Amino acid sequence: MNILIFGPPGSGKSTQARKITERYGLTYIASGDIIRAEIEAGTPLGKEMEMYLSRGDLIPDTIVNTLIISKLRRVRENFIMDGYPRTPEQVIALENYLYDHGIKVDVAIDIYITKEESIRRISGRRICKNCGAVYHVEFNPPKIPGKCDICGGELIQRKDDRPEIIGKRYDIYSRNMKPIIKFYQKQGIYVKIDGHGSINEVWERIRPLLDYIYNQERRR
């Protein structure tokens, strides 16, 4: 079973992708994780990508395509791809690769939330400057405001978690996804999932669909 999962910033798609990975034994390919690994490693490519993200801009397609396709080359079946493709150019690169290697996508899951909800979820996120622990001022606040419960370190807001940056990212995402959604709708594999509510509420909207696809695949 091969899955694409996408959604605007703060939609919880990565959380749901990990639940899907665990339940169905898939390989998890996350564009965000791959990009962050490059940034944290301090490579020239990572520094270039960090510059784009700090402005709320999308990383150029040529860079993202190279990173994702190189990862996909090691996985032929049973994968879930999180956060890719995000532009028509990325769709073309991915579809060409899949076609050349005889790989098909079973379902493209779009987890939808409003712009207001996206800003509310992300702008409240705080990260410990020392140990990297993640908090949220509303959903998971620290015991002492501004201090990490684990190490006592200072909690900071990432540059790309500021409301104005989140709003810009949401608008860019929505604009770029329109032709991508139409493409997967024409293929008959697009499914829109309401991303509002708790993690378990969203999961129970996704799970029955994937159980059905998974069971159909096993019967073949």
Side-chain angles (χ1 to χ4, degrees):
M1 182 165 62
N2 300 325
I3 302 170
L4 303 181
I5 187 167
F6 40 85
S11 62
K13 63 181 174 55
S14 296
T15 298
Q16 298 299 332
R18 290 185 173 91
K19 290 177 74 69
I20 293 168
T21 299
E22 182 178 350
R23 181 174 178 86
Y24 304 102
L26 307 182
T27 298
Y28 181 49
I29 303 173
S31 60
D33 288 353
I34 295 171
I35 289 168
R36 278 190 291 273
E38 287 287 326
I39 292 174
E40 290 172 3
T43 65
L45 184 59
K47 292 177 180 178
E48 182 179 355
M49 290 190 292
E50 186 175 28
M51 178 183 65
Y52 288 105
L53 292 177
S54 67
R55 298 198 303 256
D57 295 332
L58 286 178
I59 297 168
D61 293 320
T62 52
I63 296 175
V64 179
N65 290 337
T66 299
L67 290 172
I68 298 300
I69 297 301
S70 64
K71 177 72 173 181
L72 192 58
R73 285 196 179 98
R74 300 191 288 272
V75 183
R76 291 191 59 85
E77 292 293 337
N78 297 318
F79 62 80
I80 179 167
M81 193 167 295
D82 173 1
Y84 179 92
R86 284 189 176 181
T87 68
E89 290 76 13
Q90 291 177 12
V91 172
I92 292 171
L94 176 61
E95 288 298 312
N96 285 340
Y97 179 85
L98 296 178
Y99 178 82
D100 289 343
H101 292 81
I103 302 171
K104 73 179 181 69
V105 172
D106 296 288
V107 62
I109 298 173
D110 178 13
I111 301 180
Y112 169 79
I113 60 171
T114 63
K115 183 177 181 178
E116 291 74 21
E117 181 68 7
S118 174
I119 292 173
R120 184 172 77 97
R121 289 183 180 183
I122 298 179
S123 64
R125 185 165 55 191
R126 299 293 184 270
I127 299 174
C128 177
K129 198 172 182 179
N130 293 335
C131 71
V134 180
Y135 299 86
H136 193 282
V137 296
E138 181 179 353
F139 306 127
N140 181 35
K143 295 176 182 177
I144 301 174
K147 297 291 183 180
C148 177
D149 294 346
I150 299 172
C151 70
E154 177 189 1
L155 300 184
I156 61 172
Q157 184 182 50
R158 294 192 321 191
K159 292 180 180 179
D160 53 336
D161 284 351
R162 298 194 306 269
E164 64 274 17
I165 296 296
I166 300 163
K168 183 177 179 180
R169 286 168 57 200
Y170 187 99
D171 291 340
I172 292 173
Y173 171 86
S174 299
R175 182 171 63 249
N176 286 337
M177 286 305 296
K178 286 181 180 179
I180 296 173
I181 288 171
K182 288 182 181 179
F183 175 79
Y184 289 118
Q185 283 175 329
K186 288 182 179 179
Q187 287 198 340
I189 63 172
Y190 173 81
V191 178
K192 186 175 182 178
I193 299 290
D194 181 2
H196 300 87
S198 69
I199 292 172
N200 285 337
E201 286 173 338
V202 177
W203 170 242
E204 287 305 319
R205 295 170 193 147
I206 296 172
R207 182 191 55 76
L209 167 67
L210 296 186
D211 279 351
Y212 175 79
I213 296 174
Y214 180 75
N215 291 329
Q216 289 292 104
E217 288 288 323
R218 293 185 66 184
R219 293 191 186 106
R220 293 178 182 175

